Amino acid sequence: MSATPTSQGAPRRATITDVAREAGTGKTSISRYLNGEMSVLSPELRARIEAAIERLDYQPNQMARGLKRGRNRLIGMLLADLTNPYTVEVLQGVEAACHALGLMPLICHAANEVEMERRYLQLLTTYRVEGVIVNALGVREETLRPVGGGGIPAVLVDRSVEGLAADIVGLDNRAAAELGTRHLLDRGFREIWFVVQPFEQVSSRRLREAAFRDAMRAHADAGAHADADASAAQGHTLVLNLADAAQTEHSLAELDRAIDTAHQRAGRIGVDARIAVFAANAPVALRLALHLKARYGDAWQTRVALLSIDDPEWAELTGITTIRQPTYDIGYRAVEFLHERIEGVQTTARDCLLPGELIVRASTAR
Amino acid sequence: MSATPTSQGAPRRATITDVAREAGTGKTSISRYLNGEMSVLSPELRARIEAAIERLDYQPNQMARGLKRGRNRLIGMLLADLTNPYTVEVLQGVEAACHALGLMPLICHAANEVEMERRYLQLLTTYRVEGVIVNALGVREETLRPVGGGGIPAVLVDRSVEGLAADIVGLDNRAAAELGTRHLLDRGFREIWFVVQPFEQVSSRRLREAAFRDAMRAHADAGAHADADASAAQGHTLVLNLADAAQTEHSLAELDRAIDTAHQRAGRIGVDARIAVFAANAPVALRLALHLKARYGDAWQTRVALLSIDDPEWAELTGITTIRQPTYDIGYRAVEFLHERIEGVQTTARDCLLPGELIVRASTAR
DNA sequence: CTGTTAGCGCCTTCAC
DNA sequence: GTGAAGGCGCTAACAG
């Protein structure tokens, strides 16, 4: 039982000095004890220290330690959008790794605001974090200047930042998009729409879309020689700007026309009426599903075969085929990379591309 | 091993001393400048300081400031489960409020592990956070001892902790459960199952369930006098332990029996076969929906009318009536409360109960 | 083995 | 108006 602080207010936590006095020794020994240099302490002294710490309920002040040794075990975690389930899942991996490595993540949520992102980045340096993991939103190389390269260590998650040479870990976007495209092709879909948010600074969106196009082209090329039917496959890319309602409506209308056209044509030929829609990520998939349901009713899946990268909790419920990202691992690896850099391991910028996993559900059945 | 500060090793950030030298003045003036005591500085000196800061890209070290003045503007945010959309939404409010008040939230995710929760709590005190806002998982009063009361200021979110007198902000659980129950009753449902996770330490679960029972009883009482049909209404409580697969299956089987029984009876009488299921929160609702879909197929909603507290993103897609919590406000208010306490406002423990909003969708239509 | 002595970067009296 | 000195809680040489 600690001294009852009858008078409320500021019970002023015990300091190392208090402990030293209580144990009848000097601060140094306490410090040594705290840092596990047990071998250099007589068992007797050690016991006294232990008792004193217990009695005073002493807890070393991380801030003070950090100030002294120049490292506070804090790392920054800059998130573009916590609303995206992807982000939360990555965070789990981050937390776990930090825990294992004795790091403490300072989590900052930019909520899709570039200005916030900038501010947080500078706030983090103010707290002298030892490194940052950033799931960049719109940062330019300049904003990240204090970071990476000559500044504090940094590793990027999911997205690269132009002009910045830093470690990056994320999904193998190319392979994932190919996987999805080929799955749709294999299932016999011949008209595929790839729907993605505006590319902007987000490299992963670009990569996925490019891989989709390449996969479609590869299929067409192969088909020209072998399978006559294959050559009919056509891929379209649709940009969906979720941040702008009007633009979103406009894009969705375009998709609707394609769906209806295909439906009419199919009626004549007597074949599966569905076109396939490949959503580049979960937010896009959700928006699409909501729209389609509003337009075609509960049976919307008889009109469209939806496939998505990311595997949100509602995918199973709605029966949608997805490509699940190894989110936990992404977060975990990111921290490991950062830790190595913090510890001074000097390597050139590395890329860590983790594979996605295709989860087949009813939406792409034929 | 100290890394040799070559061209890129450790650029060692500028300190207040560097700035003072660069500006040809003393540290005191720099400090004054940093703290906005402009009126006490000659415009000329002030300009020189500004220039020096700019040139050195100086940024004050929060840790050092904190050490000196005893407040580091850090607050702890202890989360029970980031996987729950509720949590993320609350977090948005917290972030916003912190930003407005110049606070920096240290976010800790216990991931439903009581042990983690304990450890984080102690880690937070180690960083000398000025306060904590906790969405408690299983903390006992003793764990929180250093917190609240005589310790550091604390405010609870969503759940109270037995024996701890602290501010608490969250949903008006009683009103929300009543709202939902009455909605179902109004829609003519006469058999209602309230499904909730094991109560454990979570006060909100208890409150919701109690309010549900009270509402059912109130209805029965009123019905005894007026509406003969009303007296037939029966409420059941089902505990669903999501942490244990076997127990979950067991509970779901019980629900299945009720559904089937109702269905058979309805077939004879020729009336709506659906029983209503009131999920105490989103995780429960999701688990239920997944199970029902697996058992009854895509048309599961013709067997069960699902209503849930919380309004997850898939609710709209699935057409489920919900009671949305004012999550953002909850987070925001929590920080405001904490801030007041940090600033020394001494009031007795306050409760802030915010109202939920009923969002009627297809699931409860008749 | 143990204690003494300097600071880490900053703020805060207290003189000038 | 401005600066010098001391100290926040802790660690890291140096002695003893």
Side-chain angles (χ1 to χ4, degrees), chain A residues 264-285:
Chain A
Q264 287 156 20
R265 184 181 50 222
R268 291 198 306 271
I269 310 181
V271 86
D272 189 332
R274 291 181 300 166
I275 68 172
V277 174
F278 190 165
N281 66 11
V284 165

Side-chain angles (χ1 to χ4, degrees), chain A residues 27-336:
Chain A
K27 302 195 298 180
T28 311
S29 297
I30 311 297
S31 177
R32 291 203 176 103
Y33 176 87
L34 294 178
N35 293 297
E37 300 172 36
M38 300 306 188
S39 53
V40 213
L41 291 175
S42 68
E44 194 271 334
L45 213 204
R46 187 170 146 183
R48 261 158 52 212
I49 293 179
E50 233 147 36
I53 286 182
E54 178 66 26
R55 231 171 301 142
L56 268 39
D57 186 29
Y58 169 73
Q59 293 184 239
N61 182 329
Q62 281 298 335
M63 296 307 166
R65 311 182 91 170
L67 183 58
K68 182 65 196 168
R69 28 161 60 150
R71 42 166 33 198
N72 52 20
R73 310 283 66 192
L74 250 31
I75 68 169
M77 172 88 231
L78 190 52
L79 269 16
D81 179 19
L82 253 180
T83 268
N84 189 335
Y86 168 84
T87 305
V88 174
E89 292 173 25
V90 169
L91 205 45
Q92 319 234 93
V94 169
E95 297 252 12
C98 282
H99 188 70
L101 294 171
L103 263 19
M104 177 79 170
L106 259 176
I107 295 157
C108 303
H109 180 205
N112 282 323
E113 306 233 17
V114 182
E115 176 56 19
M116 277 244 139
E117 185 176 65
R118 207 187 51 68
R119 209 144 41 179
Y120 265 130
L121 221 31
Q122 106 114 40
L123 192 59
L124 285 174
T125 81
T126 250
Y127 275 102
R128 295 297 187 274
V129 294
E130 296 182 40
V132 236
I133 295 177
V134 2
N135 176 219
L137 174 59
V139 275
R140 306 297 185 82
E141 187 272 339
E142 50 181 272
T143 314
L144 237 22
R145 178 68 51 86
V147 154
I152 72 179
V155 8
L156 271 20
V157 161
D158 185 64
R159 310 151 182 207
S160 62
V161 169
E162 199 174 347
L164 183 73
D167 292 343
I168 167 168
V169 16
L171 176 69
D172 184 340
N173 291 296
R174 172 153 288 277
E178 269 177 30
L179 185 62
T181 308
R182 276 217 284 270
H183 171 71
L184 291 173
L185 255 11
D186 287 349
R187 288 296 169 103
F189 293 100
R190 283 300 169 264
E191 179 174 348
I192 307 179
W193 286 68
F194 187 85
V195 187
V196 58
Q197 289 173 273
F199 298 123
E200 293 173 355
Q201 313 294 336
V202 186
S203 62
S204 51
R205 293 180 190 157
R206 276 225 151 67
L207 291 171
R208 289 173 195 180
E209 198 270 339
F212 163 71
R213 282 208 324 262
D214 290 350
M216 290 303 287
R217 185 158 350 100
H219 179 77
D221 291 351
H225 306 267
D227 175 18
D229 171 54
S231 59
Q234 48 180 313
H236 308 263
T237 292
L238 182 68
V239 172
L240 197 64
N241 186 356
L242 296 178
D244 182 313
Q247 287 186 42
T248 298
E249 286 308 323
H250 182 78
S251 301
L252 290 174
E254 187 179 342
L255 185 61
D256 289 339
R257 280 194 297 276
I259 293 172
D260 294 342
T261 302
H263 194 249
Q264 287 156 20
R265 184 181 50 222
R268 291 198 306 271
I269 310 181
V271 86
D272 189 332
R274 291 181 300 166
I275 68 172
V277 174
F278 190 165
N281 66 11
V284 165
L286 181 62
R287 189 65 186 80
L288 286 172
L290 286 172
H291 170 75
L292 294 171
K293 191 204 173 198
R295 189 158 208 268
Y296 301 102
D298 289 331
W300 63 272
Q301 299 214 48
T302 61
R303 293 295 189 102
V304 178
L306 185 57
L307 164 63
S308 175
I309 289 185
D310 282 342
D311 188 50
E313 57 179 11
W314 52 268
E316 174 72 24
L317 185 59
T318 323
I320 287 182
T321 297
T322 62
I323 295 172
R324 178 184 292 162
Q325 296 197 50
T327 46
Y328 184 90
D329 291 339
I330 289 175
Y332 207 101
R333 296 302 299 270
V335 175
E336 287 182 332

Side-chain angles (χ1 to χ4, degrees), chain B residues 95-115:
Chain B
E95 296 253 11
C98 281
H99 187 71
L101 294 171
L103 262 22
M104 178 79 172
L106 258 175
I107 295 158
C108 304
H109 181 204
N112 283 322
E113 307 233 16
V114 182
E115 176 55 19

